[in-house]
């Protein structure tokens, strides 16, 4: 009897062991399938596929329009940035749709923001008009480096000073916005903070584009191996290489993150601010942008066209790496920052002027942050990383 009981217990233990072993095997297979699933491409819906095609075609059209103007420089580039800036300012001002804000405040916001963008242009143009004699703004209507001070050179003719805005306009904007807050119940303290912050951000952002574009023409670089920039109608063409390098760092991050996210994205980063962005897209965008940026920069140097002689070249390769890695990271911060603004106002896009992309600011959100970052770092690099120069 005892032997029979022992056999039954042993048989039960064997069955239990077999069941546990089978369960472990099933869990292992599920775990393997889960990991295999991570590398499988997502299924693309018809609407998503159509949207991707629209985005690509729109991007190609914009590239066809903007890139030639960037290479030509001069008035073409000036007007291009002016138009983009003006539309961006309008989109920012229209974001708080439910507000019944007086039209005079919108006009004031536009004027203040444009003054922040073109502070150096206005100041140097007036100085040239007062002290320039035959080369005054009236006598010489050609857009050139000396006339509008697009190189932001300091008074000693040395390395560029960096970015800057008028302190008088800052004080004036404070006065206007707070007066509106006191006299208009629809214009709250939050509105004061929003309009003031956006005027500074938009102003410094677009000013940084001019800064990066014309930095090679500052007195620090104009007498060096950068002489190949002075080649007649193509004077500004090769200086565009630095500008394109920055665009690669931010736009290729956006493009890479979008396509990698659509195809392989599974894990959301921050659904509260940007529901569709994934960690897969985040990493993919950074790797693609960094890789292409490094290839572009070092290819230019190999071809004898350093992005910025003595700062971004083979000898100073670490500066190139810092920018190439940093630009897509900052681009993501810019993207999330503007997404947070849109979520705050309950809007999907700032506008609808660009098919498949939304408004101009929806396309330039990460670009503005990136150019500010690059402009600040280039100023430090040009001064030997010493910020007190």
């Amino acid at each position: 009897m005892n032997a029979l009981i022992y056999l039954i217990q042993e048989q039960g233990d064997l069955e239990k062991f077999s069941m546990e072993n089978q369960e472990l095997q099933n869990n292992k297979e599920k775990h393997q399938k889960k990991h295999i699933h991570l590398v499988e491409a997502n299924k693309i819906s018809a609407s998503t596929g159509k949207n991707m095609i629209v985005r690509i075609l729109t991007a190609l059209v914009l590239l066809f329009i903007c890139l030639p103007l960037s290479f030509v420089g001069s008035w073409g580039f000036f007007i291009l940035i002016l138009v983009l800036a003006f539309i961006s300012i309008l989109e920012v001002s229209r974001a708080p749709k439910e507000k019944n804000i007086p039209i005079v405040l919108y006009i004031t916001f536009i004027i203040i923001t444009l003054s922040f963008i073109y502070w150096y242009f206005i100041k140097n143009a007036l100085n040239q008009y007062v002290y320039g004699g035959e080369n005054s703004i009236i006598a010489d209507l050609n857009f050139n480096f000396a006339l509008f001070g697009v190189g932001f050179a300091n008074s000693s003719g040395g390395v560029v000073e960096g970015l800057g805005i008028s302190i008088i306009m800052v004080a004036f904007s404070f006065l206007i916005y707070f007066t509106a807050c006191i006299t208009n119940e629809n214009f709250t303290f939050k509105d004061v903070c929003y309009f003031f912050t956006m005027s500074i951000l938009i102003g410094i952002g677009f000013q940084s584009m001019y800064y990066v574009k014309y930095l090679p023409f500052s007195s620090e670089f104009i007498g060096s191996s950068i002489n190949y920039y002075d080649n007649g109608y193509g004077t500004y063409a090769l200086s565009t290489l630095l500008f394109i390098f920055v665009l690669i760092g931010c736009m290729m991050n956006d493009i890479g993150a979008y396509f990698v996210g659509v195809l392989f994205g599974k894990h959301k980063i921050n659904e509260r601010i940007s529901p569709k962005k994934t960690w897969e897209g985040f990493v993919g965008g950074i790797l693609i942008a960094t890789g292409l940026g490094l290839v572009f920069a070092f290819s230019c140097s190999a071809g004898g066209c350093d992005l910025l002689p003595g700062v971004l070249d083979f000898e100073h390769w670490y500066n190139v790496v810092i920018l190439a890695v940093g630009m897509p990271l900052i681009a993501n911060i810019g993207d999330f920052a503007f997404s947070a603004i849109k979520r705050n106002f309950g809007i999907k896009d700032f506008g609808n002027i660009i098919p498949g992309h939304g408004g101009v600011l929806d396309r330039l959100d990460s670009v503005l942050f990136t150019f500010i970052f690059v402009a600040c770092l280039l100023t430090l690099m040009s001064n030997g990383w010493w910020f007190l120069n």
Side-chain angles (χ1 to χ4, degrees), residues 79-100:
I79 294 173
L80 170 66
I81 299 301
L82 176 61
V83 170
L84 293 177
F86 187 77
I87 296 174
S88 298
I89 294 170
L90 291 179
E91 291 175 347
V92 166
S93 65
R94 291 202 303 261
K97 293 180 178 179
E98 73 283 357
K99 296 283 184 177
N100 186 22

Side-chain angles (χ1 to χ4, degrees), residues 217-275:
F217 291 94
S218 71
S219 56
E220 176 73 8
F221 305 106
I222 199 66
S224 65
S225 59
I226 209 164
N227 286 332
Y228 53 73
Y229 288 151
D230 189 11
N231 55 358
Y233 289 106
T235 297
Y236 301 101
L238 292 179
S239 71
T240 306
L241 296 177
L242 177 59
F243 193 82
I244 293 176
F245 173 66
V246 181
L247 290 180
I248 290 174
C250 53
M251 288 193 165
M252 292 311 299
N253 171 74
D254 290 347
I255 295 171
Y258 175 78
F259 284 102
V260 173
V262 168
L263 294 174
F264 304 104
K266 298 289 192 302
H267 303 85
K268 305 295 184 180
I269 298 178
N270 191 327
E271 295 188 63
R272 177 177 60 87
I273 294 178
S274 191

Side-chain angles (χ1 to χ4, degrees), residues 37-114:
H37 183 66
L38 288 177
V39 296
E40 291 179 351
N42 298 329
K43 292 182 179 180
I44 307 298
S45 65
S47 60
T48 301
K50 182 180 179 180
N51 186 50
M52 290 172 68
I53 294 173
V54 172
R55 287 174 70 96
I56 292 172
L57 292 176
T58 303
L60 290 175
V61 171
L62 291 175
L63 190 66
F64 180 77
I65 295 173
C66 297
L67 201 57
L69 293 176
S70 299
F71 273 103
V72 170
S74 190
W75 282 106
F77 182 76
F78 180 87
I79 294 173
L80 170 66
I81 299 301
L82 176 61
V83 170
L84 293 177
F86 187 77
I87 296 174
S88 298
I89 294 170
L90 291 179
E91 291 175 347
V92 166
S93 65
R94 291 202 303 261
K97 293 180 178 179
E98 73 283 357
K99 296 283 184 177
N100 186 22
I101 299 175
I103 187 67
V104 73
L105 273 179
Y106 286 122
I107 297 174
T108 303
F109 173 70
I110 293 172
I111 294 173
I112 290 173
T113 308
L114 288 175

